[in-house]
Amino acid sequence: IHGITLTPVRQYGAAALPSLMQHLRTTASRKFWHRAAYCIGLMGDTAYFDSLRSYVWDWHHGTVGDHAYMAIARAQESLGLIATRSSRAEAYLIAGCDPAYWLATTWRPVARTDEQFSTYMSKMSILALGYCDTQRATAELTALASAPKHPGQRIVIQEALQRNRRVRAVGIR
């Protein structure tokens, strides 16, 4: 998935999760925040849903730089595997498909309009649903394909729907 292979990530197992979370808290690791956030989600451990959700919504305030913004987006995008096993995570991703949802955050990325930011984060939620192996995710993506929340979502919705069909057919490897 996006340059990170699931098998090696999963080989580290749950023992790596606290260390990955620590990387998110360490300023010196900021160049790798996006990878740490993404790997946490790829592990698919539902116990880390609240941690990633909190990273996206609660850890940042005001204007965030590019490293933080990339990590936040990756954390959001990585939640699809968790949402396969957690209806709370799935409901969160579905809510996040609406750009208006993102306007409630206490942070904004540097040099992006609210529309750019909120649409981008909604796309990360849509991409995450593509990896969610549930009927509800498929139904939501199908509904979005008919009536996107923003015209800029159309291509991402199609990509996520295709991925979701593959995931539903063969699973995640």
Side-chain angles (χ1 to χ4, degrees):
I1 299 176
H2 293 287
I4 299 174
T5 307
L6 282 176
T7 303
V9 168
R10 289 187 174 163
Q11 285 176 347
Y12 292 115
L17 289 167
S19 176
L20 289 167
M21 285 302 298
Q22 185 58 40
H23 280 294
L24 292 180
R25 292 182 179 94
T26 306
T27 305
S29 298
R30 75 175 159 265
K31 289 182 180 178
F32 305 104
W33 284 345
H34 67 288
R35 287 183 181 219
Y38 207 56
C39 287
I40 293 166
L42 292 184
M43 296 275 194
D45 188 332
T46 58
Y48 279 79
F49 166 65
D50 289 321
S51 297
L52 283 177
R53 190 216 155 280
S54 180
Y55 182 74
V56 170
W57 281 85
D58 304 325
W59 286 27
H60 308 279
H61 302 282
T63 302
V64 300
D66 289 337
H67 291 298
Y69 186 43
M70 187 183 336
I72 292 166
R74 290 307 223 169
Q76 186 69 21
E77 184 185 6
S78 75
L79 286 168
L81 297 179
I82 292 174
T84 294
R85 297 179 189 99
S86 167
S87 60
R88 283 180 55 238
E90 184 179 45
Y92 166 72
L93 288 176
I94 290 169
C97 291
D98 186 345
Y101 181 76
W102 293 99
L103 297 175
T105 63
T106 60
W107 58 270
R108 292 292 186 274
V110 68
R112 311 267 189 328
T113 66
D114 278 355
E115 182 179 5
Q116 290 169 329
F117 149 69
S118 63
T119 302
Y120 184 75
M121 290 305 295
S122 73
K123 290 177 182 180
M124 295 301 99
S125 299
I126 291 165
L127 288 172
L129 282 177
Y131 291 106
C132 186
D133 189 2
T134 68
Q135 289 179 341
R136 185 176 177 196
T138 304
E140 183 64 26
L141 290 169
T142 302
L144 283 170
S146 298
K149 306 285 185 184
H150 186 279
Q153 295 175 327
R154 290 186 190 282
I155 292 171
V156 171
I157 292 167
Q158 290 306 315
E159 178 185 334
L161 196 50
Q162 288 174 357
R163 181 176 298 125
N164 180 264
R165 288 179 183 135
R166 282 194 310 270
V167 166
R168 301 280 294 155
V170 299
I172 296 282
R173 297 171 192 212

